[in-house]
Amino acid sequence: KIGVFGAYRGQTMMNQLYGHPDAELVAVCDKYIPALKEVEKKAKEHGATVALYERFEDFIGHDMDAVVLANYATEHAVYAIKCLNTGKHVMSEVLPCETMAQAVELIEAVERTGLVYTYAENYCYMDRTFEMWRRYRNGDIGTALYGEGEYIHDCSSIWPQITYGERDHWRNRMHPFFYCTHSLGPLITMTGLQPVRVTGLRTPLLSQAREEGLDPGIAGIEMVQMENGALFKSIHGNLKREPSSVNYELYGTKGCMETQRFGEENLNVWREGEKACQGTLETYIPEKFVEKEMASREGGHGGSDFYATHFFVQKILGRPLGKWAIDVYQAVSMGICGILAYRSCL
């Protein structure tokens, strides 16, 4: 039995839970009444009974096993700890924590309670990144030496909408490195490597845009050294580009993998053979290799939202597919690279 905190972004997770063979949506909480009305309408369409709450304090007392956190991105760790302390498993939306202190508190809460915490970084489960994860773990390109992750999304046309016209909305107040796990996260899950050192740089601030209440147009860049010495470059922000860029490259000791840069669905995999600089190049559109039928039906960011939710449920149930869930250690590793890159930049 699962509850969702946050009825706007949380709609996506609710859609995965309606009709799920192993889970049931039982409660939703949001302070915004129209959002709850929309949940009520959708629940009726699915023949589901869902309790609706305006206050978190009332919601957390509902009879449920787990909570999906889809609230403000700056408040995930605070509410994750509250949920864990009341005996609820947690799946957190992006980001895991806002400060280093929260990172410590979150990990300690997971370890103390022994409950399941997973991180819904859906970019790790896109068809191409999930395939890169599978192939790297198969040893197809050897050991990682260098990687790049890029998430460029110009939100200026929808900025008033996604900030609700609030000048103090968290999106207007975040530092440029804050939203780093879309670009860095897939590289960490692919390789399983732990980051040990971060350097941060940023592009100039467009002050005029901020004065007009629009997207300030800043990009943050993290250069991250991993435990084996490999280097990953992560760039994310609101630079001018259409379509938006979700791009990844990973170089290993035996070859490399790259996605396409302008919306193409192909993945390129080059593998060196027995002779240096000679090998094979594969260019193909990856197919889903886990729960293909369910993931294709549920949709949501190309099925990646389904995977984040499904693997959370499977991990709670102790099933093998739970191995693909992103745990608290990887989640925090992804998130604090942005925090420390900001410190580096300052």
Side-chain angles (χ1 to χ4, degrees):
K1 292 179 285 189
I2 299 179
V4 174
F5 181 38
Y8 182 68
R9 169 61 182 147
Q11 291 178 34
T12 302
M13 291 73 172
M14 295 175 215
N15 290 337
Q16 318 308 322
L17 295 171
Y18 290 128
H20 193 285
D22 300 313
E24 177 187 5
L25 176 67
V26 297
V28 174
C29 178
D30 200 295
K31 65 182 180 180
Y32 188 54
I33 306 302
L36 290 181
K37 293 292 185 184
E38 185 64 26
V39 172
E40 184 178 37
K41 177 184 172 184
K42 281 276 185 74
K44 285 182 179 178
E45 291 174 0
H46 288 276
T49 301
V50 179
L52 304 176
Y53 295 95
E54 296 176 44
R55 298 175 66 251
F56 178 84
E57 292 74 15
D58 299 326
F59 164 76
I60 198 62
H62 192 91
D63 179 20
M64 55 190 173
D65 304 296
V67 174
V68 172
L69 296 177
N71 55 318
Y72 288 149
T74 50
E75 299 180 356
H76 289 153
V78 174
Y79 284 96
I81 293 166
K82 289 181 178 182
C83 292
L84 291 165
N85 286 340
T86 57
K88 310 292 193 298
H89 303 291
V90 171
M91 182 176 87
S92 172
E93 249 292 351
V94 176
L95 282 137
C97 55
E98 190 179 18
T99 67
M100 295 298 288
Q102 285 183 2
V104 174
E105 290 180 87
L106 177 60
I107 288 175
E108 289 181 342
V110 174
E111 292 180 343
R112 183 181 66 254
T113 62
L115 295 168
V116 169
Y117 171 100
T118 68
Y119 186 52
E121 180 42 88
N122 53 6
Y123 281 72
C124 299
Y125 301 117
M126 302 287 187
D127 286 349
R128 292 173 296 172
T129 53
F130 204 7
E131 174 75 349
M132 292 170 76
W133 183 350
R134 181 186 73 83
R135 294 203 62 165
Y136 183 85
R137 297 302 178 94
N138 282 345
D140 288 356
I141 65 164
T143 302
L145 298 174
Y146 176 76
E148 294 188 11
E150 182 175 317
Y151 174 67
I152 302 299
H153 188 191
D154 180 12
C155 295
S156 56
S157 65
I158 60 171
W159 202 255
Q161 175 188 336
I162 62 177
T163 59
Y164 305 98
E166 300 173 8
R167 286 194 174 272
D168 286 336
H169 190 277
W170 66 266
R171 290 183 184 273
N172 284 327
R173 299 174 63 86
M174 67 180 182
H175 61 72
F177 304 95
F178 186 66
Y179 214 72
C180 66
T181 71
H182 280 350
S183 52
L184 183 59
L187 297 173
I188 288 179
T189 53
M190 285 171 203
T191 62
L193 293 171
Q194 176 76 10
V196 296
R197 186 178 184 211
V198 181
T199 299
L201 297 166
R202 72 176 187 181
T203 56
L205 170 67
L206 301 181
S207 57
Q208 180 182 355
R210 175 161 284 175
E211 290 167 4
E212 294 172 357
L214 298 174
D215 168 13
I218 310 173
I221 301 165
E222 299 92 28
M223 291 299 298
V224 185
Q225 189 155 43
M226 310 306 286
E227 59 188 318
N228 72 334
L231 288 175
F232 291 163
K233 185 188 88 171
S234 163
I235 179 169
H236 49 93
N238 308 310
L239 303 174
K240 293 297 178 184
R241 185 191 196 283
E242 291 297 337
S244 57
S245 176
V246 181
N247 181 61
Y248 304 91
E249 302 174 8
L250 186 59
Y251 290 84
T253 53
K254 297 180 181 178
C256 69
M257 296 185 284
E258 297 183 5
T259 62
Q260 302 282 339
R261 293 183 57 84
F262 272 88
E264 303 92 338
E265 297 178 350
N266 289 343
L267 175 66
N268 297 318
V269 181
W270 187 82
R271 301 174 67 190
E272 190 175 55
E274 294 182 2
K275 293 185 178 180
C277 304
Q278 296 183 21
T280 58
L281 174 64
E282 301 173 66
T283 299
Y284 65 103
I285 298 176
E287 294 187 359
K288 293 176 173 58
F289 62 92
V290 177
E291 304 281 29
K292 180 178 179 180
E293 184 179 341
M294 289 179 68
S296 299
R297 183 175 68 245
E298 296 300 336
H301 286 90
S304 61
D305 288 326
F306 162 77
Y307 282 131
T309 307
H310 186 61
F311 295 150
F312 174 51
V313 172
Q314 301 308 301
K315 182 131 187 196
I316 293 172
L317 295 174
R319 294 180 179 169
L321 285 181
K323 72 177 183 179
W324 295 109
I326 301 167
D327 67 17
V328 70
Y329 304 106
Q330 283 196 323
V332 166
S333 290
M334 296 176 195
I336 65 175
C337 283
I339 296 172
L340 296 175
Y342 184 42
R343 183 178 296 178
S344 164
C345 184
L346 293 177

